[in-house]
Amino acid sequence: MGVRAMTDLPDGVERRSVGGTERLATRGEPVYGEPTDGEWRAWNPDRSKLGAMLELGMDTGLEGGETALYLGAASGTTVSHVADFAGPTYAVEFAARPARDLLEAADSRPRLFPLLADARKPETYAHVVESDVDVVVQDVATRGQARVALENRRFLADDGRLLLAVKARSEDVTRDPEDVFADVREELESEYEILESERLEPYHADHLGIVARP
């Protein structure tokens, strides 16, 4: 398993020794009990699909400073790291309980904008999210994950990136994950060009990371 060179990481994401272990880190207030080293906090790939994609050396296209739309923000574990190095970061979460934690994560992050909304219904937040965002990050544990990505393509700039984590068991717990992933890829290809896809083991079982562009 290759480790990315530091130069390949977005500005604002570094490999640092935190708690005696070299790991990805961003500058910001801790959110989920992660270890810190001064103003830097460790980015745990076991709790973050995007963190796993970076650890596995996937070419996310992230450079730092992007305008980001994050679908499935939950309590803010990953999107807080994104907001540490990106530009304006819109965080969509449907469930009220994790959204309360997300609001707390946003307290110290002026670029993080939590939205209590359903990622399957982008028309409900289209009036808030600016058009031509640089990146859509999607981690939505629901059936129809490709459809969510297709519905939210409207926000993505022509040269933007979709960073999608597909959870096989959310689509169909009875099917072989590879068959599920093949179906998701096929559906995505109606409106996206898939640049890279990779299983997210050992960090996340039965998950596929996808990098795509419109």
Side-chain angles (χ1 to χ4, degrees):
M1 186 175 65
V3 171
R4 302 190 86 195
M6 198 177 293
T7 52
D8 291 333
L9 295 170
D11 288 344
V13 182
E14 293 185 7
R15 289 195 172 278
R16 301 182 70 88
S17 179
V18 183
T21 305
E22 188 180 89
R23 53 184 90 192
L24 295 176
T26 62
R27 283 193 187 93
E29 291 291 319
V31 169
Y32 53 101
E34 68 276 24
T36 59
D37 176 28
E39 61 186 357
W40 292 87
R41 61 191 189 106
W43 189 347
N44 185 349
D46 294 311
R47 296 186 60 175
S48 169
K49 311 329 183 295
L50 181 57
M53 291 170 75
L54 289 170
E55 282 283 11
L56 292 168
M58 295 184 71
D59 185 3
T60 62
L62 293 170
E63 296 178 351
E66 289 87 0
T67 300
L69 171 60
Y70 195 105
L71 306 174
S75 54
T77 298
T78 297
V79 75
S80 62
H81 285 290
V82 174
D84 286 346
F85 70 85
T89 302
Y90 301 94
V92 175
E93 175 50 44
F94 182 60
R97 177 64 191 90
R100 288 200 291 273
D101 295 330
L102 180 60
L103 283 169
E104 282 187 32
D107 279 345
S108 62
R109 291 175 174 83
R111 298 191 298 267
L112 179 56
F113 304 103
L115 302 172
L116 183 61
D118 187 343
R120 295 170 297 185
K121 299 174 180 176
E123 65 276 4
T124 62
Y125 47 87
H127 62 293
V128 178
V129 178
E130 59 190 273
S131 59
D132 294 338
V133 302
D134 300 306
V135 60
V136 171
V137 184
Q138 181 180 321
D139 180 14
V140 178
T142 183
R143 191 182 292 267
Q145 292 165 87
R147 174 52 43 194
V148 172
L150 293 171
E151 291 286 344
N152 283 273
R153 181 187 177 282
R154 68 184 75 182
F155 300 112
L156 196 56
D158 291 341
D159 60 348
R161 289 289 183 272
L162 168 70
L163 306 178
L164 170 62
V166 183
K167 183 177 182 180
R169 290 173 186 161
S170 291
E171 292 291 343
D172 189 337
V173 75
T174 65
R175 294 180 66 207
D176 183 286
E178 281 301 327
D179 294 337
V180 172
F181 298 149
D183 286 352
V184 169
R185 277 192 293 254
E186 182 180 2
E187 189 174 350
L188 274 182
E189 284 173 339
S190 66
E191 294 190 36
Y192 286 97
E193 177 190 356
I194 294 177
L195 303 175
E196 187 178 3
S197 63
E198 186 173 342
R199 295 280 293 253
L200 298 185
E201 279 88 2
Y203 303 107
H204 302 275
D206 300 330
H207 281 72
L208 184 74
I210 293 177
V211 180
R213 66 185 173 198

